[in-house]
Amino acid sequence: MRTLQKTRFALRAAVLCALPTAVALGGVTPAQAADSVTVLRLTAAAGEPSVQVRYRCDALTGLDAVQVGVSDTQGGGVFQGTAAAVCDGTSHVVRVRTSRAAGPPLVRGHECVVSASLGMASLGMFAPAVSSGATKTAR
């Protein structure tokens, strides 16, 4: 069992180390100056938040996912979620549904710190290229 875990870890590490090199050799930069991500709204339904995010990225960057993290500053809950991104040079709005990673469910009216990142998702790992954060009240 330990050998399998070590092999998985080594494979993930190798992929993460090789990814920037592959991108550089392909003549593509991980993030262009025009790439952006912005947190728009935080809503709480059934104790699990969803975050509305606006993003923009070019097709050549290879970015393919939006990841969000929510930290409830009053209740102590921590939530995270990932959604697919469409990178075609135009702005898109996506709603990212999160699941609870720790702590109690989110309550409407609580103030939360929300972070959003645009990046590459591969083999269950996420490599952020552009990030932003905001303090939002859960609706």
Side-chain angles (χ1 to χ4, degrees), residues 39 41-42 49-53 68 70 94-98 114:
V39 176
R41 180 179 301 185
L42 171 66
S50 65
V51 180
Q52 194 172 31
V53 176
V68 299
V70 178
V94 65
R95 189 164 104 196
V96 182
R97 296 173 196 259
T98 65
V114 183

Side-chain angles (χ1 to χ4, degrees), residues 11-39:
L11 179 61
R12 286 181 182 165
V15 168
L16 287 178
C17 290
L19 193 57
T21 305
V23 168
L25 291 175
V28 179
T29 58
Q32 305 289 333
D35 295 339
S36 64
V37 62
T38 306
V39 176

Side-chain angles (χ1 to χ4, degrees), residues 85-109:
V86 176
C87 292
D88 59 6
T90 62
S91 291
H92 296 276
V93 175
V94 65
R95 189 164 104 196
V96 182
R97 296 173 196 259
T98 65
S99 58
R100 188 167 20 151
L106 181 63
V107 177
R108 288 183 182 160

Side-chain angles (χ1 to χ4, degrees), residues 48-81:
E48 302 219 340
S50 65
V51 180
Q52 194 172 31
V53 176
R54 175 181 293 128
Y55 69 91
R56 182 194 180 287
C57 54
D58 292 324
L60 297 177
T61 59
L63 305 178
D64 63 359
V66 176
Q67 186 175 63
V68 299
V70 178
S71 176
D72 183 352
T73 60
Q74 294 170 305
V78 177
F79 308 85
Q80 58 188 14

